[in-house]
Amino acid sequence: MKTVFTSLAALLMAANMIQAQPVRRVLMEEYTGTWCSNCPRGIASVQHQQKRYGDRFIAIAVHQESYDPMKNKLYASGNGYPSCELNRSINTDPFFGTSWNYSDPIGIIHNIDQLLNQTCYADVSVAAQWKDAQRNIIGVTATANFTFDDTQSDYRWAFVVTEDGMKGPEGDRYWMQQNKYVGDTDWLVMPEMKPFVNGSGLMEMEYDHVAVDGAGVRQGLENSVVPPIVKGEPNTFTYDIDISANTQIQNRDNLHVVAILLSSKYNDVENAAVCEISPVDDTTPLSLRPVLQEQKEMPHVFNLEGKRINNSSVMQGKGIRILEGKAYLNH
């Protein structure tokens, strides 16, 4: 009987050790462009990996070159198109990977599997919430649970805001995706290539996980992981991302935040997580909410007497303003 209990205790201990291991995720930063006729294989590959790996795979589409309407200044130019960085430790093609051959064409899968099987030293999570009614400020909370103790910190957080479903005006050729794969059925080895094989040389489409804003994207935010690092103890960092001046974003309902834990020692990604943005907390007292800022087009603003206020007078004087059924306090 003692042997049975000893074996059971050993099994429970082993199970706890397995559960305690951090969940490793792979981040693909995919360099692409609407002008790039080879890039549909990268778009399709991302879709394929999302189905294959689920939430253990995170993608960011980095659009490049000045004539791509989704280009921004978050990233420096890529190393070719299409190309990708996997956890910033493998730089390769988002379809072929580093081990492509005719009998095993989707080589990028082997690179992702390789990274998923590496030891991970930190479990990470992220939460985001709008901090104002106009949805201009995103409050982000990122947490890392490390598997070791250290009096120093070689880690930093970086944040990327991505948008799904981006599209341009109908017939706008700069928003249309160049496509060289029309009729080439060899590419159907990856089912997600079917729309491009059956499509046209210039395709109207929607673009997902497009990088539109962020902070500390390449080098990380200084002092965002503060020592000492204590094994198993949450190390939490909060940061506000201001998107009020961003004219690229199309639909705030389609935004996500990717939190990237960077290792400054190895110049790679230790782990990453992604989340949606929660609504603003409507239980916050009026006096604590942000003051309305003047906007060029601010519809339906009234005072308490029911008189409409023009845009230029919204910030003038103290009192309560009613904007589309909600009250805001001007101090």
Side-chain angles (χ1 to χ4, degrees), residues 132 134 286-294 314-315 328-331:
D132 62 320
Q134 293 74 44
L286 279 175
S287 60
L288 299 180
R289 295 187 189 180
V291 177
L292 280 176
Q293 295 183 358
E294 182 178 352
V314 169
M315 291 298 293
Y328 299 89
L329 180 63
N330 278 357
H331 298 279

Side-chain angles (χ1 to χ4, degrees), residues 15 101 165:
N101 61 62

Side-chain angles (χ1 to χ4, degrees), residues 15-290:
N16 288 334
M17 289 178 64
I18 292 172
Q19 293 175 358
Q21 291 299 311
V23 176
R24 162 80 76 182
R25 300 182 188 89
V26 170
L27 174 70
M28 176 188 282
E29 292 164 296
E30 175 216 7
Y31 291 87
T32 185
T34 58
W35 52 272
C36 170
S37 62
N38 288 296
C39 287
R41 71 170 180 260
I43 297 170
S45 179
V46 166
Q47 296 170 351
H48 186 79
Q49 312 318 325
Q50 288 175 324
K51 294 175 184 177
R52 183 182 181 91
Y53 295 103
D55 61 6
R56 298 195 70 188
F57 176 83
I58 298 171
I60 297 173
V62 182
H63 284 255
Q64 295 287 288
E65 302 303 336
S66 57
Y67 30 87
D68 187 319
M70 288 168 281
K71 176 182 171 61
N72 59 49
K73 298 179 180 180
L74 289 173
Y75 288 81
S77 295
N79 297 324
Y81 307 95
S83 68
C84 72
E85 291 180 288
L86 296 177
N87 281 2
R88 300 193 184 176
S89 61
I90 299 175
N91 195 321
T92 188
D93 183 277
F95 174 84
F96 296 113
T98 60
S99 58
W100 174 88
N101 61 62
Y102 285 102
S103 62
D104 189 15
I106 313 178
I108 193 68
I109 290 173
H110 300 288
N111 296 118
I112 295 172
D113 287 343
Q114 172 190 341
L115 291 172
L116 286 175
N117 289 327
Q118 289 181 353
T119 301
C120 184
Y121 296 101
D123 220 343
V124 301
S125 62
V126 61
Q129 184 178 45
W130 294 109
K131 299 190 72 175
D132 62 320
Q134 293 74 44
R135 298 193 294 180
N136 285 327
I137 309 295
I138 307 170
V140 182
T141 301
T143 302
N145 282 276
F146 293 92
T147 61
F148 60 89
D149 295 318
D150 200 336
T151 58
Q152 305 296 319
S153 173
D154 294 318
Y155 296 91
R156 292 182 176 186
W157 284 108
F159 301 116
V160 178
V161 179
T162 64
E163 182 171 354
D164 291 337
M166 297 191 75
K167 61 181 179 180
E170 185 176 354
D172 187 331
R173 66 182 305 274
Y174 291 103
W175 278 91
M176 298 174 78
Q177 181 63 52
Q178 298 275 354
N179 172 35
K180 63 169 286 185
Y181 301 99
V182 180
D184 192 344
T185 56
D186 288 345
W187 286 93
L188 294 180
V189 65
M190 189 165 61
E192 291 75 15
M193 282 294 291
K194 186 175 180 179
F196 298 105
V197 173
N198 295 338
S200 60
L202 197 61
M203 295 180 60
E204 294 201 63
M205 60 179 295
E206 294 185 0
Y207 302 88
D208 293 331
H209 44 263
V210 178
V212 292
D213 215 312
V217 173
R218 293 308 299 182
Q219 303 299 325
L221 296 166
E222 190 174 355
N223 298 321
S224 52
V225 180
V226 179
I229 290 173
V230 180
K231 179 180 178 180
E233 185 173 300
N235 192 304
T236 299
F237 176 65
T238 59
Y239 189 84
D240 289 348
I241 301 175
D242 185 346
I243 63 169
S244 59
N246 190 312
T247 59
Q248 184 181 36
I249 293 171
Q250 295 182 344
N251 188 343
R252 281 162 163 74
D253 291 334
N254 293 340
L255 298 182
H256 293 77
V257 175
V258 180
I260 307 169
L261 184 63
L262 298 173
S263 168
S264 56
K265 183 176 182 180
Y266 298 106
N267 296 316
D268 64 1
V269 174
E270 182 62 45
N271 214 340
V274 62
C275 70
E276 296 180 347
I277 307 173
S278 300
V280 65
D281 184 1
D282 289 331
T283 64
T284 305
L286 279 175
S287 60
L288 299 180
R289 295 187 189 180

